[in-house]
Amino acid sequence: MAGIREIDKALFPIKNISSVIQLFKNQLEDACEPDLALLSIVAGAVENSLTCRSNAGLQVCEPVEPTSLPVLEFHTIETLYSKFHTIMKSAVEPNKGFKSYATRELVKKVSDVVWNSLTRSYYKDRAHLQSLYSYLTGSKLDCFGVAFAVVAGCQTLGYTDVHLALSEDHAWVVFGERGTETAEVTWHGKGNEDKRGQEIGKGVSARSWLYVNNRPVICTRHMEVAALVSAINPSLNATHDAFEVALLQQELLWLLYDLGHLKKYPMAIGNLGDLEEIAPKEGRTPCNVLFEEAISSARTYYNNQHVYPYTYQGGYFYRNKMYKEAFESWANASDVIRLYNYSRDDEEIYKEFLEIANELIPHIMKVESSGFSANTILKKPECFANLLRFYDGICQWEEGSATPVLHIGWAKPLVNTISKFDAEVRAQVDIVCGKPEDDTNKRANGGYYNNNNNYEKENGTNETDILTSLGSKALKDDQSTSNFHPSIEALTA
Ligand SMILES: CC1(C)CN=C(N2CCN(c3ncnc4sc(CC(F)F)cc34)CC2)S1
């Protein structure tokens, strides 16, 4: 790595958000390739100065320009930058003249350098542990931060073929002549032995949501900048964000969006949508459209195997009391998860579906049956159909999985919700087999159907019965007229 360029050095000392934006702009537009170490150190330093206990108090009381920042001296950044360079170079052979491709041993070695320099034990899920600033000043990184540091380390050593691979809850690297070699470089979850150095499994784990059925986001250098920007964490504490950090993150995401580097990165578009919902920018794409763009990106580039684009959108509809639309987003999320097998590594998405099924939907039912909603969803068959599709996807997710998903705790909210729809509304839901020719949700006779096509998991399905596993047997003859899970279909009888 050449080191910090004069054009970037000239921006220091950094006193406001627009200087940070300019630095990223310089790096993204005219650097031969953006310098991940420099940008991560700067972003981390800004985040740290505005969110960490030490001096956060100072900012709150002083009346400051909304875009002013605590002064960031060049010397601070340069010291950390050369520290990172030295750590990497002293442990690993640099790639002189950028001639060769990385090897598995090289990647593992860089991962070991990062791994062995971390503080022995610390709370891994804490905020603000994602950047090289955290690594170089506190020797602490979170799971994503370790993977990012490995990629930045390889860049510093001249291995430009090493790139970040991202699923919805894990990160690893790709490398080699065709960029098709894969390697674990960080840990995942709690109490799991790390698999660092191993290639990404093709076996059982490949069918778990954690590896998104081998459809991860494979980053370019510019998308790695988008990942570090997405990982900026504006939280001051459990209830407040540092608004300058959120503003910086939003501006940087718009810069990356305008340069086209978010096209293949659904979660980054979703993050931008969340920020736009809170503080909409004049003349910018509205948040609801951004959530749609994230969904179409996942459908276009990742074979619709990602869940989060639908839960970003569902969360938006829910917060804005658009409950009919929320049911559709959540049913679409469920259509994604149904094709996976649930594994112990999938806790994060399990918690997501649990919260939707056992907190958000029951809350909607309570509000809607309070009798004050004129246009209640309880009279809408398409809402009932989408709810069934939502629950059915979770049932199918469980089928064929070594680990059960459902337990009695799911039963009460589920039955409670279904029973809020009157018989004549339920009767309008027409459960049909396979994918109908026309893709609308509405049948000529006003009926509705679940527009499921025939879902088959690669490994076939063995019937686990939701009501059985919830403690009451749903008897179903085997001529069921639909491909809902038998017990979900039982609920429509
Ligand atoms: C609909 C939601 C619950 C709202 N936020 C969600 N996020 C999902 C995770 N987020 C992310 N945003 C950008 N990039 C990445 S890469 C990654 C996996 C990690 F191990 F590297 C996670 C993630 C951001 C926040 S999903």
Side-chain angles (χ1 to χ4, degrees):
M1 209 62 219
I4 304 177
R5 308 174 310 166
E6 284 312 311
I7 179 178
D8 299 325
K9 189 173 171 179
L11 293 167
F12 288 85
I14 284 180
K15 299 179 179 163
N16 55 47
I17 287 176
S18 36
S19 308
V20 182
I21 306 287
Q22 192 55 51
L23 174 66
F24 274 77
K25 212 166 153 60
N26 291 354
Q27 284 289 317
L28 287 165
E29 286 181 345
D30 49 8
C32 53
E33 60 169 34
D35 186 338
L36 298 180
L38 174 63
L39 297 179
S40 181
I41 290 167
V42 169
V46 171
E47 176 176 324
N48 177 277
S49 69
L50 285 163
T51 59
C52 294
R53 184 74 28 223
S54 54
N55 47 23
L58 294 178
Q59 307 316 325
V60 173
C61 58
E62 284 162 15
V64 289
E65 270 294 303
T67 60
S68 79
L69 299 168
V71 178
L72 208 48
E73 296 294 346
F74 179 70
H75 169 71
T76 313
I77 303 302
E78 188 190 37
T79 307
L80 294 174
Y81 185 84
S82 39
K83 180 177 176 181
F84 185 68
H85 206 74
T86 307
I87 290 170
M88 288 301 156
K89 280 203 125 143
S90 58
V92 189
E93 251 333 278
N95 179 15
K96 288 249 175 309
F98 302 86
K99 278 216 175 38
S100 48
Y101 296 105
T103 62
R104 184 169 303 279
E105 294 64 37
L106 182 277
V107 167
K108 177 60 165 54
K109 211 167 182 189
V110 175
S111 175
D112 286 343
V113 169
V114 176
W115 190 267
N116 296 326
S117 56
L118 297 177
T119 308
R120 274 286 142 265
S121 83
Y122 57 95
Y123 178 45
K124 306 287 188 300
D125 290 348
R126 224 181 67 197
H128 317 303
L129 300 184
Q130 79 287 51
S131 74
L132 289 189
Y133 181 87
S134 169
Y135 172 60
L136 294 162
T137 59
S139 306
K140 294 181 191 65
L141 284 170
D142 60 22
C143 154
F144 164 83
V146 169
F148 182 86
V150 171
V151 176
C154 291
Q155 181 187 35
T156 292
L157 291 163
Y159 294 98
T160 54
D161 58 307
V162 180
H163 286 288
L164 193 58
L166 302 170
S167 76
E168 298 192 297
D169 189 40
H170 192 31
W172 58 93
V173 302
V174 295
F175 61 97
E177 187 163 4
R178 296 193 335 280
T180 51
E181 294 300 312
T182 63
E184 298 274 7
V185 292
T186 183
W187 78 87
H188 178 264
K190 285 189 171 43
N192 306 326
E193 200 49 36
D194 72 88
K195 299 187 268 189
R196 289 182 314 112
Q198 298 173 32
E199 67 174 333
I200 301 310
K202 296 186 173 43
V204 169
S205 72
R207 228 191 305 284
S208 68
W209 165 76
L210 187 70
Y211 291 96
V212 284
N213 201 13
N214 220 2
R215 305 281 183 149
V217 174
I218 305 294
C219 291
T220 62
R221 270 296 171 257
H222 296 81
M223 288 167 75
E224 279 142 15
V225 176
L228 85 84
V229 170
S230 279
I232 288 173
N233 187 337
S235 344
L236 253 181
N237 53 48
T239 49
H240 290 85
D241 281 359
F243 69 88
E244 306 93 324
V245 180
L247 191 62
L248 171 66
Q249 184 179 37
Q250 194 171 353
E251 298 283 356
L252 288 174
L253 285 171
W254 276 123
L255 170 63
L256 287 152
Y257 179 95
D258 294 338
L259 295 172
H261 302 311
L262 303 193
K263 270 194 181 7
K264 300 182 177 178
Y265 197 163
M267 288 185 289
I269 303 172
N271 288 333
L272 182 52
D274 278 350
L275 292 162
E276 277 294 309
E277 182 187 351
I278 296 164
K281 284 223 157 341
E282 192 65 31
R284 278 292 188 181
T285 313
C287 62
N288 59 303
V289 177
L290 288 169
F291 295 126
E292 288 162 7
E293 287 182 9
I295 287 167
S296 56
S297 169
R299 287 175 174 169
T300 307
Y301 299 109
Y302 304 106
N303 192 34
N304 199 32
Q305 305 268 274
H306 294 187
V307 176
Y308 282 152
Y310 296 107
T311 52
Y312 272 112
Q313 186 187 54
Y316 165 76
F317 285 139
Y318 175 77
R319 291 187 293 270
N320 291 276
K321 304 187 184 345
M322 300 162 76
Y323 298 138
K324 172 167 163 285
E325 294 78 359
F327 285 169
E328 184 167 356
S329 304
W330 291 333
N332 290 337
S334 189
D335 273 349
V336 172
I337 203 69
R338 71 169 69 237
L339 299 176
Y340 285 107
N341 283 340
Y342 180 57
S343 107
R344 50 194 293 283
D345 291 323
D346 294 345
E347 278 95 1
E348 281 311 306
I349 204 65
Y350 173 84
K351 289 189 290 192
E352 197 67 24
F353 280 106
L354 194 69
E355 187 194 16
I356 294 166
N358 297 352
E359 314 282 333
L360 306 188
I361 290 174
H363 169 76
I364 293 172
M365 288 313 172
K366 193 157 62 60
V367 167
E368 287 291 297
S369 47
S370 65
F372 297 108
S373 17
N375 186 18
T376 173
I377 55 165
L378 301 180
K379 295 268 177 271
K380 297 193 162 101
E382 68 270 36
C383 293
F384 185 61
N386 281 327
L387 263 180
L388 291 181
R389 189 157 61 95
F390 170 73
Y391 290 125
D392 187 63
I394 297 171
C395 291
Q396 194 172 338
W397 182 26
E398 180 176 64
E399 286 172 18
S401 302
T403 323
V405 174
L406 299 158
H407 55 67
I408 196 65
W410 290 73
K412 192 164 156 293
L414 188 158
V415 174
N416 208 313
T417 299
I418 300 288
S419 60
K420 287 276 188 328
F421 290 84
D422 297 343
E424 70 271 6
V425 179
R426 299 203 313 268
Q428 292 174 57
V429 174
D430 206 354
I431 308 238
V432 290
C433 254
K435 188 138 178 81
E437 46 294 339
D438 64 322
D439 210 10
T440 57
N441 234 346
K442 200 154 171 45
R443 290 176 70 76
N445 62 4
Y448 290 83
Y449 42 77
N450 63 307
N451 49 7
N452 280 357
N453 31 41
N454 275 304
Y455 290 99
E456 272 304 311
K457 288 183 182 180
E458 279 119 56
N459 61 354
T461 59
N462 57 12
E463 293 293 50
T464 47
D465 180 329
I466 179 172
L467 293 187
T468 314
S469 62
L470 298 177
S472 68
K473 184 85 187 127
L475 298 179
K476 262 321 286 167
D477 63 49
D478 55 8
Q479 278 83 40
S480 70
T481 56
S482 85
N483 41 14
F484 268 139
H485 187 282
S487 43
I488 292 296
E489 205 211 326
L491 294 171
T492 64

